[in-house]
Amino acid sequence: MNNYNIEQVVPHSAPMILLNKLICYEQNSATCEVTISPTSAFYSQQLQGVPSYIGTEYMAQAIAAYAGALAQDQGEAVKIGFLIGTRKYKTHTPIFSMGSVLQVTVAKLYEEDSGLSVFECCIKNNNTALCEAKINVFQPQDPMQFIREQQ
């Protein structure tokens, strides 16, 4: 495992990189971290935190970090992917509270040659599960050609 900054493996630009760092990754899984603060995207002063439905994007970006790290390891460019859907999103809290340090884990369950994959995802704080979901993503061989074909 190499040590990559999150900006090296997630194909977004600030301020839309929501994760703070890639903690670790293996061939079929990864763990990322995000600390909830008043400067976090989607932070609500009224709620004193981030609504837990943003967890879907944390999970999707952790998948992107996983794919980006594997691409970097192979000397390839980090490619964009698409969040296709979320299944069985279950939350045990309405808010990710200020000061929380969230661990976002993703584990690949299924992958097709077409680029479609399914990941089992979980967000924890202090080993307590806050959200769980299965996330479907699509990473075509040539994302820009795919976008042009969809227009």
Side-chain angles (χ1 to χ4, degrees):
M1 182 187 97
N2 290 306
N3 188 18
Y4 297 112
N5 290 328
I6 199 70
E7 296 82 7
Q8 292 176 282
V9 293
V10 175
H12 290 317
S13 300
M16 288 313 299
I17 296 178
L18 305 185
L19 303 173
N20 296 112
K21 59 182 164 179
L22 173 62
I23 301 294
C24 63
Y25 66 97
E26 298 175 349
Q27 191 59 40
N28 290 305
S29 63
T31 301
C32 294
E33 184 177 277
V34 59
T35 301
I36 305 300
S37 74
T39 60
S40 296
F42 305 104
Y43 182 85
S44 166
Q45 189 66 37
Q46 181 181 9
L47 298 175
Q48 290 292 293
V50 173
S52 62
Y53 60 80
I54 301 299
T56 303
E57 183 62 22
Y58 292 159
M59 294 171 179
Q61 287 195 17
I63 294 167
Y66 156 81
L70 292 180
Q72 292 274 14
D73 285 352
Q74 298 299 316
E76 298 173 3
V78 174
K79 296 189 295 187
I80 64 170
F82 303 95
L83 171 61
I84 300 298
T86 303
R87 293 183 296 133
K88 299 182 181 180
Y89 186 74
K90 185 176 183 180
T91 181
H92 306 288
T93 184
I95 300 162
F96 300 131
S97 301
M98 183 172 69
S100 297
V101 178
L102 308 177
Q103 295 80 40
V104 185
T105 59
V106 298
K108 185 169 36 176
L109 298 176
Y110 176 78
E111 180 179 28
E112 290 185 356
D113 291 339
S114 67
L116 179 68
S117 299
V118 179
F119 285 80
E120 182 80 48
C121 305
C122 185
I123 298 175
K124 292 183 179 181
N125 181 25
N126 294 324
N127 291 321
T128 300
L130 302 179
C131 295
E132 304 160 72
K134 287 186 175 60
I135 302 286
N136 301 336
V137 295
F138 177 57
Q139 188 176 48
Q141 288 297 319
D142 186 346
M144 297 314 292
Q145 178 182 343
F146 176 78
I147 291 170
R148 284 189 299 275
E149 290 172 358
Q150 301 309 307
Q151 294 177 342

